[in-house]
Amino acid sequence: MTATRIWRPVNLPAAGSRTDDIWFADALNGWAVNSDGLILRTADGGDAWTRQAHLAESYLRCVSFAGRDIGWVGALSGPNRLYATRNGGLDWSAVTSLPSGAPGRICGVCAVDEQTVFASGTNYPNEDAAILRSRDAGQTWQVLDVPGAALLVDIFFESPQRGWVVGGVDNVRHPDRAPVRADIVPGVFHTDDGGETWTNLVQSNAAAGEFPRGEWGWKFQKLNDRVLFVSCENFLDGAILRSDDGGLTWSRLRVNDSQRNSNLEGIGFLDEQHGWIGGWGDRMFVGGFTSVTEDGGKNWQAANDVGFRLNRFRFIGSPPAIAYASGDTVYKYSDEPVAPSIAAIAATSRRETIGENEVVLETVVPVGCKLFQVRVWERFGREVAMLADERNPQAGPRNLLWDFSDRTGARQPPGGFIVRFTCDDESTSQLIYRERRK
């Protein structure tokens, strides 16, 4: 009798917003970073997790390891953009030697080997996009320019010389203003010389008008030497990019399932025909849908039982025997039995607050708390507000009113936000939505 592989949540409590990234050195040893500012590790395939670091001021986005010891975590905001470990995450230290011109936000990181690491950013089109490279285990860094890139997100190198980075290109080039997301079309950039020069592999697609504006590449997957995939983030229309000739030519394939899955991020193909796509699900970052294809991306169906708010897939083995995906929690694809108590975790821990002109955030300050802070980030990682910053706060229930204004007093547009409540060395987060006026 052949065992059936299915997706199930592992034994990791769901993050208030999302576990943005995971990395597995093998089937058992892995790391995760989440919206509560935590770096977590498992040594048994997800059954048990250990907290390795709590970075309350940082919005963590990405993680990569070279083996089990040398690892890197990238952040979108906070006091530092990169963190490093030399001992499997027992100790993490801030990288403070980044040169001038380094991207202000790190969206992707790839540890090629113990000496070589690349990092990419930013995910804001009005900020300078670039790539960081170190060839001496992080002692020194170089800034690499990617001509034409308006934003850079995911990065993957299969060797110190050969790699890809995905993001977006400004398709408007307005002379009197910086580019905005509505100007952007996908970019898939490739290098064979360690990042010294780059080629946009989908430039001809963009020139032919095949890409809608307001869409950019988010995640990259190299399935084999021929087949490459890119997920496209687009608030209104879900799609992926696929190449069957190693990147020479590309096709844009719409995600045409009945739930109209869009605002896509995580992509993972088990083989050339069978794959999944997930993300925020819609323009308000609410749905968190997942879709599945059995014909290589031509047609899609709803597959929300796979996971919620998925941002990353990782596959173990060739062909893959086990897979992991990160969303609100971490999900595992295997033939292991499903534990009902674990399977209920993701469904029972989703907290959301919705308002049109203001929201009231309810929390409880614990007895003995010495530092109470409440921060708000917008969906792409920019910190917009600090709602509380108190030493020795009064314990008890607390209601915080937020009128969607940032630090300058400017009202934020409708959409989703992440709020993080921190008491000393503990944090929890939740999603806030500003509704559009009916």
Side-chain angles (χ1 to χ4, degrees):
M1 180 176 178
T2 302
T4 300
R5 290 186 291 174
I6 62 172
W7 287 99
R8 66 175 179 87
V10 304
N11 194 18
L12 177 68
S17 171
R18 189 166 68 175
T19 297
D20 267 47
D21 204 3
I22 48 173
W23 179 271
F24 279 80
D26 51 45
L28 298 178
N29 292 277
W31 292 261
V33 295
N34 73 12
S35 61
D36 298 331
L38 297 179
I39 304 174
L40 305 133
R41 179 177 183 180
T42 181
D44 58 8
D47 288 338
W49 294 80
T50 302
R51 188 175 82 165
Q52 292 192 322
H54 176 222
L55 303 171
E57 299 179 58
S58 297
Y59 189 125
L60 305 180
R61 171 47 58 86
C62 50
V63 58
S64 180
F65 270 73
R68 296 189 188 181
D69 293 323
I70 308 299
W72 308 86
V73 165
L76 299 181
S77 63
N80 298 284
R81 295 296 173 263
L82 273 174
Y83 297 87
T85 182
R86 313 288 180 192
N87 56 11
L90 293 177
D91 300 291
W92 289 89
S93 58
V95 177
T96 59
S97 58
L98 299 182
S100 174
R105 307 175 198 275
I106 301 299
C107 305
V109 61
C110 181
V112 186
D113 53 44
E114 292 189 356
Q115 296 297 312
T116 311
V117 60
F118 292 85
S120 54
T122 178
N123 61 346
Y124 284 81
N126 62 334
E127 300 175 353
D128 292 336
I131 289 174
L132 284 167
R133 179 186 66 193
S134 177
R135 291 172 166 169
D136 54 13
Q139 295 184 53
T140 60
W141 297 85
Q142 299 82 46
V143 176
L144 308 176
D145 182 42
V146 181
L151 54 83
L152 296 172
V153 185
D154 198 25
I155 191 165
F156 171 72
F157 272 75
E158 62 182 9
S159 73
Q161 298 300 311
R162 183 174 172 80
W164 295 261
V165 63
V166 299
V169 174
D170 177 9
N171 198 42
V172 174
R173 300 186 182 277
H174 194 288
D176 299 324
R177 62 165 171 79
V180 297
R181 294 192 187 277
D183 297 340
I184 304 301
V185 296
V188 182
F189 303 91
H190 175 64
T191 182
D192 275 319
D193 57 11
E196 296 295 331
T197 60
W198 294 87
T199 300
N200 184 1
L201 301 176
V202 296
Q203 184 172 355
S204 60
N205 301 75
E210 297 175 16
F211 298 149
R213 291 177 184 168
E215 179 173 287
W216 51 92
W218 189 264
K219 285 291 188 291
F220 174 86
Q221 182 190 7
K222 181 178 186 288
L223 182 67
N224 53 46
D225 287 340
R226 293 185 301 104
V227 182
L228 312 175
F229 295 101
V230 174
S231 63
C232 293
E233 185 159 49
N234 178 327
F235 298 150
L236 301 175
D237 184 27
I240 69 169
L241 306 181
R242 174 172 177 149
S243 174
D244 288 285
D245 53 16
L248 295 177
T249 60
W250 293 79
S251 298
R252 182 181 185 269
L253 305 176
R254 293 191 65 247
V255 176
N256 58 357
D257 66 358
S258 59
Q259 60 191 347
R260 300 187 65 182
N261 199 359
S262 61
N263 203 349
L264 303 175
E265 297 193 337
I267 187 170
F269 272 73
L270 193 65
D271 53 46
E272 294 188 15
Q273 300 301 314
H274 187 183
W276 301 272
I277 189 84
W280 294 108
D282 52 48
R283 67 184 302 172
M284 290 297 290
F285 295 79
V286 177
F289 307 133
T290 300
S291 306
V292 63
T293 180
E294 302 287 352
D295 60 7
K298 297 177 183 177
N299 294 285
W300 298 82
Q301 295 178 336
N304 296 328
D305 57 317
V306 171
F308 184 62
R309 300 175 184 158
L310 299 181
N311 189 47
R312 174 72 75 182
F313 288 81
R314 301 286 189 188
F315 295 92
I316 311 298
S318 181
I322 292 175
Y324 292 91
S326 64
D328 60 335
T329 185
V330 174
Y331 298 85
K332 185 176 184 178
Y333 183 70
S334 71
D335 57 7
E336 300 172 15
V338 177
S341 60
I342 294 176
I345 289 176
T348 59
S349 59
R350 299 168 186 168
R351 298 173 56 205
E352 300 171 356
T353 300
I354 302 174
E356 182 176 319
N357 296 312
E358 61 185 30
V359 289
V360 177
L361 306 175
E362 299 178 357
T363 189
V364 176
V365 180
V367 175
C369 178
K370 296 180 180 179
L371 176 61
F372 174 65
Q373 294 178 320
V374 181
R375 290 181 172 85
V376 181
W377 285 270
E378 57 97 67
R379 297 304 315 131
F380 291 99
R382 178 176 61 89
E383 186 173 338
V384 297
M386 175 79 85
L387 304 184
D389 185 9
E390 304 173 18
R391 268 64 176 173
N392 300 312
Q394 182 177 352
R398 184 76 62 88
N399 290 339
L400 299 169
L401 177 69
W402 187 42
D403 64 357
F404 298 105
S405 295
D406 65 14
R407 293 175 180 269
T408 69
R411 296 290 288 274
Q412 297 299 292
F417 303 86
I418 295 172
V419 59
R420 182 186 298 169
F421 304 89
T422 298
C423 176
D424 299 332
D425 199 32
E426 299 292 336
S427 290
T428 185
S429 58
Q430 72 171 90
L431 291 178
I432 303 171
Y433 298 102
R434 185 178 186 195
E435 291 183 315
R436 295 180 183 273
R437 192 177 295 273
K438 298 290 194 265

